[in-house]
Amino acid sequence: MGAQDRLVGQRYRLGRRVGSGASGTVWQAYDEVADREVAVKRPRLPGGPADETYRRAAHRLYREARAAARVDHPAAVRIHDVVVEEAGPDGLPWIVMEWVRGESLREALRRGPVAAPEAARIGLAVLGALRAAHSVGIVHRGVKPANVLLGPHGRVVLTGFGTDHVPGEEPLRGAGPAADLRSLGVLLHAATAEHATTAAGRTTIAEPAGPVERTAAEQAATATERATTAAEGSAAGPLGPLIERLLAKDSGRRPEAEQFAEEIAEELAAVVGDRRRGPGPAPDRKEVIGFNPST
Ligand SMILES: Nc1ncnc2c1ncn2[C@@H]1O[C@H](COP(=O)(O)OP(=O)(O)OP(=O)(O)O)[C@@H](O)[C@H]1O
């Protein structure tokens, strides 16, 4: 794409491209004014700026990125700036975020699934970020392991706000806060999947990246299927029933979603608390490898 070294907004020098997917491209970049590393995301839209639908979608991305910058939560990526270049031909924003050192949950899952208490800790952080976003009217729509960053000091950061879009459309019906919670269920299921299948005594090849690299709309479409899978895997541990509830829930109404999110937060906190209280294996081993449903 040849964007490397480009100076965006007269201060953000694009460096290494860290990822590129359906929703856009992310670069590691350098803020030459503040003298620090940042991440810069350029969303992608199908079509072109000659098209009215495209221009409206681009403007909506801009508004949503600015709104996402107001989300204030330790687990929500900090958006420093949203740049639209005046001379830019397409009106697409450059979204400038804090650079989170570490790896994404997608990368971590390549080494194998996560033990239930650690998945609960990650889930609780992501849920906190989502609730903070929902409270200011923002729906994430792209909750998946690639967008969950595992930073230094155990920090969990949800990135990718407001960029996962169905172009040309206002947010889908059913793609409100409840859809984000359902996606959290898919995420938790994917994070612990191999444990579920192993504990149930079946030989299944884990597919950590498989069911989770989808848009919220696709996730919603397969929610029932996932609910069945989660139910089968509920022997896997304390997260089974909770995942099942997240996936089965299909009310899009705000107050209900809020109440539901609060209940889920309490349940996740209890699972995290079990790890803190319980005996169990050494923490580093338990987080990456082992999960024994009987402990
Ligand atoms: N603030 C950030 N700091 C560090 N890495 C980030 C940051 N934001 C996103 N990333 C990483 O950039 C990569 C690309 O993200 P991006 O959202 O473009 O693609 P994706 O989510 O993998 O795919 P898709 O575009 O299909 O949704 C992701 O793997 C993500 O982990």
Side-chain angles (χ1 to χ4, degrees):
M1 196 174 167
Q4 187 155 356
D5 270 350
R6 178 176 170 167
L7 196 62
V8 171
Q10 299 176 0
R11 67 184 277 187
Y12 308 107
R13 177 78 60 191
L14 299 189
R16 181 174 62 93
R17 201 173 76 167
V18 288
S20 191
S23 73
T25 303
V26 175
W27 291 266
Q28 184 173 15
Y30 200 75
D31 180 346
E32 297 191 342
V33 174
D35 202 13
R36 64 179 171 186
E37 282 180 311
V38 290
V40 173
K41 176 148 190 171
R42 175 85 153 154
R44 189 193 321 281
L45 287 174
D51 180 1
E52 168 68 18
T53 313
Y54 179 100
R55 287 200 304 276
R56 263 192 280 127
H59 188 66
R60 201 167 53 243
L61 284 171
Y62 168 71
R63 275 193 281 118
E64 290 192 6
R66 283 175 44 128
R70 292 201 316 267
V71 177
D72 181 17
H73 189 274
V77 74
R78 276 187 283 277
I79 295 179
H80 296 314
D81 201 356
V82 183
V83 176
V84 176
E85 292 167 322
E86 302 240 324
D90 55 18
L92 279 177
W94 299 85
I95 302 164
V96 182
M97 305 169 267
E98 63 171 319
W99 172 253
V100 182
R101 231 166 351 105
E103 64 177 0
S104 71
L105 178 60
R106 175 172 61 184
E107 286 157 336
L109 290 180
R110 292 204 178 108
R111 294 192 296 274
V114 173
E118 174 65 357
R121 185 184 77 85
I122 294 169
L124 192 57
V126 171
L127 180 58
L130 288 174
R131 293 177 76 191
H134 296 165
S135 73
V136 293
I138 292 167
V139 181
H140 188 289
R141 291 197 288 272
V143 178
K144 58 182 182 178
N147 280 333
V148 176
L149 306 174
L150 305 174
H153 315 297
R155 198 169 162 223
V156 177
V157 183
L158 180 62
T159 184
F161 276 95
T163 56
D164 243 336
H165 259 270
V166 178
E169 299 295 331
E170 285 303 325
L172 288 174
R173 246 157 45 89
D180 276 349
L181 298 182
R182 209 159 37 223
S183 300
L184 176 64
V186 176
L187 182 112
L188 287 172
H189 172 63
T192 53
E194 197 179 82
H195 294 297
T197 50
T198 308
R202 279 176 280 121
T203 43
T204 310
I205 297 167
E207 44 166 6
V212 290
E213 300 309 317
R214 303 183 190 197
T215 65
E218 286 168 326
Q219 289 169 5
T222 53
T224 314
E225 180 197 324
R226 295 276 155 239
T228 312
T229 313
E232 283 169 8
S234 60
L239 284 179
L242 179 148
I243 293 171
E244 198 179 338
R245 283 184 69 202
L246 280 169
L247 295 180
K249 185 82 181 170
D250 67 351
S251 164
R253 276 174 294 161
R254 262 295 279 293
E256 263 188 47
E258 267 169 33
Q259 168 70 32
F260 181 51
E262 189 163 338
E263 289 166 24
I264 292 295
E266 279 168 19
E267 289 175 34
L268 285 170
V271 177
V272 177
D274 282 348
R275 168 174 61 178
R276 295 209 175 112
R277 276 195 303 276
D284 54 345
R285 219 185 121 66
K286 194 174 178 186
E287 283 184 9
V288 185
I289 309 163
F291 165 58
N292 180 347
S294 64
T295 53

